Amino acid sequence: MKAASKFLSAASAVTLSAALVVSGALAVQFVATSAAEAAVVSRVEVSGNQRIDAETIRNYITIKPGKAFSSSDIDSAIKALFGTGLFSDVQINQVGSTLVVKVAEYQVVNQVLFQNNKKLKDNALAAAVQLKPRGTFSQATLDADVESIKAAYKRIGRDDVTVTTQVMQLGDNRVNVVFNITEGERTQIAAINFVGNSAYSSRRLSDVINTKRSSWVSFILRDDVYDEDKLRADQELLRRFYYNHGYADFQVVSAVGELDSATNKYTVTITVQEGDRYTFGDVSVESTIPEVDGKALESVIETRKGDVYNAKDVEDSIIALTEKVAGSGYAFAQVTPRGDRNFENHTISVVYTIDQGTKAYIERIEIRGNDRTRDYVIRREFDVSEGDAFNQVLIQRAKKRLENLNYFDKVDISTVPGSQPDQVVLVVDVVEKSTGEFSVGAGYSTGGDTAGPSVEGSITERNFLGRGQFIKVSAGGGKNSRDYSLSFTEPYFLGRRIAAGFDIFKQTRNYDHYDSDTTGATVRFGLPITDSISTQLAYNISQEKYKLDDDCDPNAGCDVSTAILDGIEQSPWIKSSVSLGLVYNTIDDMKSPHEGIYATTTVEVAGLGGDAKFVKVTGRGSIYQTLSEQYDLVGLISGGAGHVVGYGSDGLRIFDQFQSSDRMIRGFAYGGIGPVDVNTGDHLGGTTYFNASAEAQFPLPVVPESFGLRGAVFADAATLYGSKVDTAGVTQDSVGMKLRASVGLGLMWASPFGPIRIDYAIPVKKEARDDVQEFNFGISTRF
C-alpha cells in the first residue's frame, strides 16, 4: 500500500510539474503572439516611389509610429495602397522598429495616340478607352481598351477590324500608348429572313424592325449594321407589334446573324411562332380596397369586349386606373391585369384587380450615361420625384416618354434597395444618339404660276445644347419662289408640360404679273390634353408686300384682275391674328402609318391690330387602316373643309381667300380651280372649300423593302367657291359649288433626306377655266 501510495504521489507530482511546464509554455506563447499581433514601430520608411511623395503614401495607411498595430492593419494598408490604382506592387514588412513600405509605381500615360483610323475620329475612340493622358498605365487596362475599340468598330459594321498596340518608353516612368488600327471593310446585311410568319408578310415585318437589309442608300442611313444589341431590341419590337394586333401567344424562337466571310455579309434569320389571334372577352374591374368601387371604374378602361386583343390598350387601361385611384388618395394602389384565355373561341377575358400595394418611397433618382443631355431633361419626364410613392406603372410610362423623345438609342430603368427597407433608388441608364439632322429635298411642278424645279435644305437639332429644345433652320426655293425660316421650341415652358416656341419666316413669290414678299413671325403655345389630344394657341403677325411687274401696265393691255390690283394698291398689308388649334392623333407610326386617325381643326381670327379682319375655320382628317396584313396593303381616307368670312368695312381681300393646292386636290395647278375673273382669267380663290380623297398604298413588287419605296393609287374630289372680292362688276365664273375630281398614281420614297412623293393625276371632272397640272414631285407632307 505504501509503495503504491508513493507511486501515486510521484505520479501526481510529475503530472503537476508537467502541467506547470505546459502552462508556462502556453503563457510564453500567448505573450509572444500578443506581442506579434500588437507591434509598435518607431518610424515608417517608404521605398520604391518615384513620383508620389512618401508622405502621401504614409497618409494612405493607418499604421502610425508609436501606435500598436496588428496583421489585419497591414492587410488593410496593402489594400488601401492597391486601391489608389497608383501601384503595381506593394510590400509591407517590419524590420526591427521600422515598418518598411516598398512600392512599385504604375507608369504614367503621357499621350494616347490612334493611327490609321478614318471611320471613327480620335475623340470618339478616346471616349471608348480607359487609358487617359496623365493617368496610370497597366497591361490589363490596355488589353481591355483593345476590346473596347473593336466593339466600337463593330457597332458601325466593321467586324474585321484589327488593333495592335505599342508602348513607347519615354523615361521618368512615362509612356506613350499607340493604337494601330486596321479598320477593314464594312460588313453588310445580305438578307433578313423571317421563318414561321403567316399572318404578316416578311416585307411588313421588315418595316417593324430597325435592322435593315443593305441597299444603295445604306451608306447614308447606316441602318444595315449588324449588332446583337440592336437585334435584341428588334425582337422586342416584333413582340410589341404582334401583342398589339391580337397575337398574345407570339414568341421569337430565335434570332441569329451568320457572317459569310467570303462576302463579308450577314444573313439574319428570325424564327417566330405567331400563335392564334385573340379578341377581348369579358372585361371587368375588381377591387380589394373597400372604399374603391371597381364597377364604377369600368368606364375608365380602354379595352372593350369584342375588340381585337391589344397589349397597348391593356397598358393604357392600367395607367388610367392607377391615376384614377391615386387621385382618390390611394397612392400605393397596384393594378394587376389577369387574363383568362379561351382556346376554343380565341378570346381573352381580362380582370383588372386593384390592391393596396406595398408602401415604398423613392429615395432618389440616379441618371447615368447622359454625357450630353442635362439631368433635368430626363427627370421632367417622370410624374414622380424623390420622396414620392413608388409606382411601377408611372415608372414605365416615364420610360416610354424617354424613348419617344428620340434622344436615346436605349433606355433602361431599374431599382436598387435604398437606405431604409421602405425606400428604393431608381437607376436610369441611357445610351445617347445623334439628334442633329441635315436634309435636302427637291421637287418639280408642271403647272401654275410657280411651275418648275425647287429645292429645300434644312438643319435640325432635336436636343439643342442637351436642353431638350428643338431648333430648325431651313431655306429653299425654285424658279419663282424663295423660302427662309427659323423655328424654335421649348417643350417644357416654365417647367410645365407646355410647349412654347416661335417661327420666323420670309417668303417671296413671282407670279405671272406681280411679285409678293411676306415676312412674318408666330409665337405659339402647345398643351397636351391627353396622350392623343393636344391644343395649340398662337399669335401670328406678318407683313405682305405686292408689286406689279415692271413690264405690266394695266392701261397698256396687261390683263390683271381688279381684285388683284386692289390688293396690290393696299400693299403693304399687315395681318395680326390669333389662332387656336386642336389635334387628335392615334397614328401608329408617323413615318410609315398603317393604322390610326389624325385630325386637326383650327380657328383663326384676324383683326388684333393690322389691316386684315376675318375669321377663318379649317379642318382636316385622315384615317389609316390596314386592308391586308399579308400584302401590306394600307387604305387611307381623308377629307377637309374650310370657311372664311370677313368683317368690317374693308371686307376680304383676294389674298385672304382660300387657294387650291395639291393638298386639296391633285391634278390641278396651285390656285387652279374656283371662282375666275372671266375678263382676265385670274383665279380669285374662294371663301369655302370641301375636299375628300381615297387612297390605297402598297409595297412595290420585286423592289427590296430596304429601298423604302411604296406605290399608291388614289382618287380626289374637291370644290372651292364663294368669292367675296370686288371685281369692279366683271362677271365671276364658277362661284357655285361645282365639284372637281381626279384619279392617279403615286410613288412614295422614304429617302434619307425626308419623305418624297411623286404623283401623276388625271382630272376626270373639271371646269373649262381650270388650270391642270398632272405631274407633281416634291417633299411629302402627310399630316
Side-chain angles (χ1 to χ4, degrees):
M1 286 292 294
K2 290 183 178 180
S5 179
K6 290 180 179 179
F7 175 77
L8 289 174
S9 298
S12 299
V14 172
T15 302
L16 179 61
S17 299
L20 290 173
V21 171
V22 172
S23 299
L26 290 174
V28 171
Q29 183 176 354
F30 174 76
V31 171
T33 302
S34 299
E37 292 183 353
V40 177
V41 293
S42 59
R43 66 192 186 96
V44 177
E45 180 181 295
V46 178
S47 64
N49 56 311
Q50 299 180 24
R51 295 176 296 102
I52 303 169
D53 186 71
E55 191 60 31
T56 301
I57 295 175
R58 293 189 186 100
N59 290 334
Y60 277 120
I61 64 178
T62 58
I63 302 173
K64 306 297 179 184
K67 292 184 178 181
F69 66 92
S70 65
S71 58
S72 62
D73 293 321
I74 294 178
D75 291 339
S76 298
I78 292 174
K79 291 178 180 178
L81 290 173
F82 272 122
T84 64
L86 300 173
F87 308 105
S88 59
D89 189 27
V90 177
Q91 297 179 13
I92 298 180
N93 296 295
Q94 181 181 354
V95 180
S97 62
T98 300
L99 187 71
V100 179
V101 181
K102 186 177 181 180
V103 297
E105 296 178 357
Y106 278 124
Q107 294 175 305
V108 176
V109 178
N110 180 59
Q111 284 184 300
V112 178
L113 305 173
F114 304 97
Q115 294 185 349
N116 304 319
N117 54 308
K118 296 180 181 179
K119 301 303 179 181
L120 289 178
K121 302 303 181 184
D122 285 1
N123 57 352
L125 293 175
V129 300
Q130 300 177 57
L131 290 175
K132 308 291 183 184
R134 296 183 298 277
T136 58
F137 170 83
S138 72
Q139 186 62 43
T141 305
L142 181 65
D143 294 339
D145 285 347
V146 169
E147 296 304 316
S148 297
I149 292 174
K150 289 181 178 179
Y153 272 96
K154 189 173 183 179
R155 285 193 292 271
I156 64 170
R158 296 184 179 270
D159 292 20
D160 55 348
V161 62
T162 58
V163 182
T164 60
T165 60
Q166 183 180 1
V167 181
M168 303 174 63
Q169 301 292 335
L170 303 178
D172 296 329
N173 212 29
R174 296 180 304 121
V175 296
N176 279 349
V177 178
V178 181
F179 292 97
N180 297 297
I181 301 170
T182 303
E183 295 180 322
E185 295 297 325
R186 182 172 177 270
T187 58
Q188 295 181 320
I189 297 179
I192 300 177
N193 301 320
F194 291 91
V195 179
N197 56 307
S198 58
Y200 296 95
S201 66
S202 295
R203 182 185 288 269
R204 178 70 181 99
L205 297 182
S206 295
D207 288 339
V208 174
I209 64 176
N210 290 323
T211 302
K212 303 297 183 183
R213 176 184 171 187
S214 298
S215 67
W216 63 278
V217 295
S218 296
F219 77 98
I220 299 175
L221 297 176
R222 299 296 183 185
D223 56 0
D224 64 336
V225 175
Y226 175 77
D227 182 79
E228 292 182 357
D229 290 338
K230 189 176 180 180
L231 191 59
R232 279 192 289 270
D234 285 339
Q235 295 178 52
E236 181 60 27
L237 290 176
L238 287 171
R239 277 188 283 269
R240 289 185 184 181
F241 175 77
Y242 271 94
Y243 292 163
N244 291 340
H245 288 81
Y247 294 88
D249 296 328
F250 172 83
Q251 58 180 322
V252 178
V253 178
S254 64
V256 295
E258 297 180 358
L259 178 64
D260 185 343
S261 56
T263 61
N264 206 28
K265 293 182 179 181
Y266 277 96
T267 298
V268 178
T269 303
I270 302 176
T271 303
V272 301
Q273 184 175 321
E274 293 178 326
D276 296 323
R277 196 181 196 199
Y278 291 85
T279 58
F280 282 111
D282 295 328
V283 181
S284 60
V285 180
E286 296 179 353
S287 174
T288 61
I289 304 174
E291 295 80 4
V292 176
D293 182 7
K295 192 71 176 177
L297 293 173
E298 290 185 358
S299 61
V300 176
I301 59 179
E302 299 187 16
T303 50
R304 297 288 182 267
K305 183 176 180 179
D307 290 349
V308 174
Y309 176 81
N310 188 312
K312 183 179 182 301
D313 288 344
V314 175
E315 293 172 1
D316 292 343
S317 297
I318 294 172
I319 293 174
L321 287 169
T322 301
E323 291 181 335
K324 186 72 173 180
V325 175
S328 301
Y330 299 92
F332 299 99
Q334 182 176 353
V335 180
T336 305
R338 186 179 72 250
D340 181 16
R341 284 177 173 80
N342 186 318
F343 295 101
E344 294 181 0
N345 58 17
H346 300 114
T347 61
I348 300 178
S349 297
V350 181
V351 177
Y352 298 94
T353 304
I354 303 174
D355 299 309
Q356 184 64 273
T358 304
K359 291 186 177 182
Y361 299 89
I362 299 173
E363 180 176 345
R364 66 180 184 277
I365 300 176
E366 294 183 359
I367 302 173
R368 304 185 302 201
N370 56 319
D371 298 328
R372 182 167 177 267
T373 305
R374 311 292 178 94
D375 269 19
Y376 69 82
V377 173
I378 297 174
R379 290 179 183 273
R380 68 192 184 189
E381 299 300 330
F382 286 81
D383 291 327
V384 294
S385 57
E386 283 89 347
D388 288 348
F390 174 79
N391 190 303
Q392 184 64 43
V393 173
L394 299 183
I395 301 305
Q396 289 302 313
R397 182 163 71 173
K399 182 176 185 292
K400 288 184 179 180
R401 287 177 178 170
L402 290 172
E403 292 172 338
N404 291 337
L405 290 176
N406 203 21
Y407 300 165
F408 312 107
D409 277 325
K410 186 178 181 182
V411 177
D412 285 326
I413 301 179
S414 57
T415 60
V416 297
S419 58
Q420 300 295 326
D422 62 344
Q423 292 183 334
V424 296
V425 177
L426 287 183
V427 181
V428 183
D429 289 298
V430 298
V431 178
E432 295 181 313
K433 68 179 180 180
S434 175
T435 54
E437 295 177 356
F438 172 73
S439 63
V440 178
Y444 189 87
S445 61
T446 58
D449 292 325
T450 57
S454 62
V455 65
E456 177 183 315
S458 66
I459 299 174
T460 303
E461 174 55 61
R462 301 189 306 274
N463 188 14
F464 184 59
L465 299 178
R467 300 175 183 271
Q469 298 164 335
F470 174 92
I471 187 169
K472 180 179 180 179
V473 180
S474 64
K479 179 181 178 182
N480 300 306
S481 63
R482 297 289 187 275
D483 293 276
Y484 308 94
S485 67
L486 168 65
S487 298
F488 175 84
T489 302
E490 165 56 62
Y492 276 77
F493 184 61
L494 299 179
R496 299 184 179 275
R497 195 165 282 130
I498 300 174
F502 64 84
D503 307 295
I504 302 173
F505 61 90
K506 182 178 178 63
Q507 300 173 341
T508 61
R509 296 290 185 270
N510 304 119
Y511 299 98
D512 283 345
H513 301 301
Y514 66 96
D515 301 333
S516 71
D517 188 330
T518 304
T519 303
T522 297
V523 178
R524 47 187 163 73
F525 298 90
L527 176 66
I529 299 174
T530 67
D531 288 341
S532 56
I533 302 176
S534 61
T535 185
Q536 179 171 292
L537 176 67
Y539 171 72
N540 317 282
I541 187 168
S542 62
Q543 181 188 62
E544 303 171 11
K545 296 180 180 180
Y546 298 90
K547 179 180 177 296
L548 274 176
D549 292 343
D550 294 335
D551 58 354
C552 181
D553 184 356
N555 298 321
C558 181
D559 291 333
V560 182
S561 173
T562 304
I564 295 177
L565 291 175
D566 287 345
I568 293 175
E569 289 175 2
Q570 294 172 351
S571 174
W573 185 266
I574 302 296
K575 184 180 75 172
S576 175
S577 69
V578 292
S579 59
L580 178 64
L582 190 67
V583 176
Y584 176 75
N585 182 11
T586 61
I587 297 296
D588 58 345
D589 184 349
M590 295 297 285
K591 293 182 178 179
S592 179
H594 281 71
E595 293 179 357
I597 300 174
Y598 186 91
T600 179
T601 182
T602 304
V603 178
E604 181 182 8
V605 179
L608 280 73
D611 304 310
K613 289 179 172 57
F614 62 79
V615 178
K616 183 179 291 186
V617 180
T618 57
R620 180 178 177 86
S622 300
I623 302 175
Y624 287 86
Q625 181 63 51
T626 301
L627 304 178
S628 171
E629 302 285 6
Q630 180 65 30
Y631 300 105
D632 194 13
L633 182 63
V634 178
L636 165 63
I637 297 177
S638 61
H643 181 69
V644 59
V645 59
Y647 65 92
S649 58
D650 294 334
L652 285 174
R653 300 176 309 150
I654 183 175
F655 305 119
D656 295 328
Q657 299 194 135
F658 294 110
Q659 297 287 339
S660 65
S661 67
D662 60 342
R663 285 178 63 82
M664 185 182 294
I665 185 170
R666 288 162 285 195
F668 296 85
Y670 175 82
I673 68 172
V676 178
D677 185 328
V678 297
N679 188 42
T680 64
D682 291 321
H683 283 86
L684 305 175
T687 59
T688 306
Y689 76 87
F690 294 94
N691 74 294
S693 178
E695 181 171 297
Q697 302 174 356
F698 50 88
L700 296 179
V702 181
V703 179
E705 71 279 354
S706 57
F707 280 30
L709 291 171
R710 290 179 67 85
V713 293
F714 58 84
D716 294 348
T719 182
L720 175 64
Y721 62 95
S723 175
K724 296 295 184 181
V725 299
D726 182 13
T727 55
V730 177
T731 303
Q732 297 182 30
D733 191 18
S734 298
V735 294
M737 184 177 175
K738 296 185 178 180
L739 193 69
R740 278 79 164 178
S742 65
V743 295
L745 303 172
L747 179 65
M748 299 171 291
W749 178 33
S751 79
F753 316 108
I756 293 177
R757 177 161 181 152
I758 302 172
D759 286 319
Y760 180 78
I762 300 175
V764 294
K765 184 175 178 56
K766 63 178 183 175
E767 297 299 314
R769 298 180 183 275
D770 291 343
D771 292 335
V772 174
Q773 178 182 311
E774 297 178 341
F775 176 76
N776 193 72
F777 162 56
I779 298 172
S780 173
T781 53
R782 295 190 183 93
F783 307 107

